[in-house]
Amino acid sequence: MKIFNFCGASVKDAEGVKNLAETLHKVGYENTLVVVSAMGKTTNAMEQILQAFFHDETGLDRSFQWVVDFHRGILDDLFEKENHPIYHIVNSYFLELKAYLSNTTSKDYNFVYDQTVGYGELISTTIISHYLKQSGIDNSWIDARTLIKTDNYFRRANVNWEVTQELISGHIDTNRLNITQGFIASDPDHLTTTLGREGSDYSAAIFAYCLDAEDLTIWKDVPGVLNADPKYFDDTILL
């Protein structure tokens, strides 16, 4: 079993999703589980939605629409026809999120955070799963929340390793390609939890451990390990 983790920057746009598919074609995808983050800066944008929800309702619609438009642009670049079912599926996620924000009475920021921000991962993996199928790569989409179980320490949940091990080893077909989310999990009441900011790598490691994987590969938007962060330094050197 192989575990691949693709960070948000590596799938920040349609070209990144296409590159993911090309990568799988090149390196193979049998007996593989792919863990994917939210696309680009989606998590930051989702946090802006929460900021508006709690502190500036006048900006809520604007913040929400930015996330919708961002993903719609990626969909339009990946799928030829607007009547492709992926449009309806992604729209249903946004309707579900909007309904939650309209109806929740909770004032607990951490709780509401976990119930909303993880939609970025659900949407990104759904888009990627459908694009891979369109590209001839069959796969199973898995909701990570049904497999990684935690306590209810929202925004930095602790994994229940015994239950998680049993669920992952018992419900993943290791003979095929599986697509799932990083960062998100669920508590004993099936409420969404998150594993901490930038938790996608951790999710991939959880799956690798529980599946006794041969290796875990973390794919980033750089050619390899550099001597400095290319976002801040020019002429970085590949080590």
Side-chain angles (χ1 to χ4, degrees):
M1 193 69 184
K2 296 179 294 183
I3 311 296
F4 292 164
N5 174 229
F6 286 86
C7 69
S10 67
V11 290
K12 64 183 178 182
D13 51 25
E15 290 306 311
V17 176
K18 293 175 182 177
N19 182 65
L20 185 155
E22 291 173 4
T23 298
L24 293 179
H25 274 300
K26 289 178 181 178
V27 303
Y29 50 84
E30 291 184 354
N31 316 107
T32 300
L33 183 139
V34 175
V35 178
V36 187
S37 302
M39 293 174 157
K41 298 297 184 180
T42 297
T43 302
N44 291 342
M46 297 293 282
E47 290 175 346
Q48 287 297 314
I49 290 175
L50 278 175
Q51 183 71 14
F53 175 75
F54 278 102
H55 305 293
D56 178 24
E57 287 193 12
T58 59
L60 181 57
D61 287 342
R62 182 175 63 254
S63 298
F64 195 95
Q65 192 60 46
W66 187 94
V67 178
V68 173
D69 293 342
F70 170 71
H71 288 90
R72 178 57 184 265
I74 293 175
L75 287 173
D76 290 344
D77 288 339
L78 292 175
F79 302 93
E80 294 182 0
K81 297 180 179 179
E82 189 172 328
N83 61 1
H84 190 288
I86 187 61
Y87 284 89
H88 173 73
I89 297 170
V90 170
N91 187 55
S92 68
Y93 277 127
F94 285 123
L95 291 175
E96 189 177 297
L97 173 57
K98 182 172 285 189
Y100 174 78
L101 292 174
S102 297
N103 294 308
T104 185
T105 58
S106 176
K107 301 300 181 183
D108 183 338
Y109 180 88
N110 291 340
F111 173 75
V112 177
Y113 182 102
D114 277 7
Q115 308 318 303
T116 59
V117 173
Y119 276 91
E121 279 73 16
L122 294 171
I123 292 168
S124 70
T125 53
T126 300
I127 292 173
I128 288 167
S129 175
H130 279 264
Y131 180 74
L132 291 177
K133 290 178 180 178
Q134 177 179 273
S135 304
I137 301 178
D138 191 32
N139 65 88
S140 293
W141 182 90
I142 298 171
D143 188 336
R145 297 173 299 179
T146 65
L147 300 180
I148 299 180
K149 308 300 289 187
T150 69
D151 59 16
N152 61 0
Y153 185 23
F154 297 105
R155 292 190 70 190
R156 193 172 291 277
N158 301 292
V159 176
N160 183 325
W161 287 98
E162 183 177 353
V163 175
T164 298
Q165 171 79 72
E166 182 178 352
L167 289 171
I168 289 178
S169 59
H171 291 84
I172 290 183
D173 183 354
T174 58
N175 295 314
R176 59 176 299 145
L177 174 64
N178 301 275
I179 309 295
T180 195
Q181 308 80 36
F183 185 49
I184 60 174
S186 70
D187 72 3
D189 294 321
H190 309 294
L191 295 168
T192 303
T193 57
T194 61
L195 302 174
R197 200 67 159 81
E198 308 293 343
S200 187
D201 294 358
Y202 182 32
S203 296
I206 292 169
F207 280 106
Y209 173 78
C210 292
L211 291 169
D212 193 23
E214 177 182 341
D215 53 52
L216 162 59
T217 304
I218 299 175
W219 299 87
K220 297 290 186 180
D221 58 332
V222 290
V225 179
L226 305 175
N227 69 331
D229 188 339
K231 295 177 183 177
Y232 302 103
F233 296 92
D234 296 328
D235 302 322
T236 54
I237 299 172
L238 179 66
L239 301 179

